[in-house]
Amino acid sequence: MTENEFYRTKEELLENISELFLKYGLRSTSMDDICSHLKISKKTLYQFFSNKDDVVEQVFLHRRNNNRTRKDTEKLKQHNAIQIMLSIRDHIIAGLNSRMPANLFDLKKYHPDVYQKINEQDQVFIHSLFHEVIDKGIREGFFRPNINKEVQVYLFVKQMTFLGEPEMISDIKYPLDIIVSTIVENVIRSFTTPQGMSELEKLLNK
């Protein structure tokens, strides 16, 4: 098997295993189940993964990478800062409303080290992106230049991370889309200029 064939096969395995996890759950899907469903031998599976933790970690990283391609990020940056913030809002809502919460609960409970690693990567990604969006908004005249950027980024990351906790998702009093929309819109309103407020209202009224 050539290097290209190896990585192509691994990508296919990650896609198929991801679907199995979404359908049956992380805990309920064993290495034997994966082999049985995908009609491959254990020897073949262990050519690509060292153990169940490794499978889980690589599947979740694969999902994250598919959702965060450089092309998508660059395309997003072609919009103004407020449009980007509202796109981030929509992306977060779509992710929280997907079939992922049950997987996240199993991930945190049965694969805590993997959960911690994925969670830390998510925080770094959100932190970096939000920093860029604020700087862009200031250059565009939509955000005030005197805002405490570090505090705003810290609070936003913490709120989004808190909402992503499996226990929170199952115990939230109001619909997730309303909560996320309220958080994001409040954040935008807290540091917009009059020009930025006008742009926000225009986009919301669409």
Side-chain angles (χ1 to χ4, degrees):
M1 184 182 293
T2 66
E3 186 175 351
N4 284 339
E5 288 173 336
F6 177 88
Y7 285 111
R8 188 164 59 247
T9 302
K10 188 170 185 177
E11 284 286 305
E12 291 174 0
L13 285 173
L14 288 169
E15 283 291 330
N16 289 323
I17 296 170
S18 179
E19 285 302 312
L20 288 178
F21 285 160
L22 288 171
K23 186 174 182 179
Y24 300 108
L26 296 183
R27 186 187 180 195
S28 301
T29 308
S30 66
M31 298 294 268
D32 286 331
D33 292 329
I34 292 171
C35 293
S36 176
H37 280 283
L38 301 186
K39 296 179 173 55
I40 58 175
S41 67
K42 270 195 171 181
K43 181 180 178 181
T44 299
L45 185 62
Y46 281 108
Q47 286 179 345
F48 298 94
F49 309 102
S50 56
N51 51 42
K52 176 75 176 288
D53 262 357
D54 187 31
V55 173
V56 171
E57 180 176 342
Q58 292 200 48
V59 165
F60 271 79
L61 289 176
H62 176 72
R63 290 176 182 172
R64 294 294 193 269
N65 291 336
N66 280 352
N67 290 333
R68 297 173 184 167
T69 63
R70 182 178 297 275
K71 182 179 178 181
D72 290 339
T73 303
E74 291 305 316
K75 184 178 179 181
L76 191 62
K77 290 177 183 177
Q78 294 174 10
H79 301 288
N80 68 47
I82 295 177
Q83 288 174 318
I84 294 173
M85 286 293 293
L86 295 180
S87 293
I88 292 172
R89 173 202 64 187
D90 295 341
H91 180 76
I92 292 171
I93 290 171
L96 292 175
N97 282 330
S98 71
R99 294 176 289 169
M100 287 294 292
N103 270 199
L104 287 173
F105 184 84
D106 281 354
L107 182 67
K108 185 175 184 180
K109 186 171 183 179
Y110 302 108
H111 305 274
D113 291 341
V114 177
Y115 177 84
Q116 182 65 26
K117 185 174 182 178
I118 297 295
N119 200 35
E120 287 173 359
Q121 290 188 6
D122 282 349
Q123 290 191 42
V124 169
F125 176 80
I126 297 172
H127 186 277
S128 174
L129 179 60
F130 197 33
H131 254 286
E132 290 185 45
V133 174
I134 290 178
D135 287 339
K136 182 178 177 67
I138 291 172
R139 292 194 302 271
E140 294 168 337
F142 289 146
F143 298 160
R144 290 181 287 104
N146 63 339
I147 63 174
N148 192 326
K149 185 167 63 174
E150 289 300 326
V151 172
Q152 291 287 358
V153 171
Y154 173 81
L155 290 174
F156 185 74
V157 171
K158 288 300 180 184
Q159 287 180 94
M160 292 303 105
T161 304
F162 183 62
L163 274 182
E165 288 290 325
E167 300 86 349
M168 277 299 301
I169 293 175
S170 61
D171 195 39
I172 276 179
K173 184 176 180 180
Y174 301 100
L176 277 170
D177 57 337
I178 292 177
I179 292 176
V180 174
S181 294
T182 301
I183 290 174
V184 173
E185 289 169 26
N186 284 347
V187 167
I188 297 173
R189 292 178 193 279
S190 71
F191 48 68
T192 54
T193 60
Q195 181 186 354
M197 188 64 73
S198 176
E199 176 68 9
L200 174 63
E201 294 298 337
K202 181 181 75 175
L203 291 171
L204 292 178
N205 287 333
K206 278 187 178 180

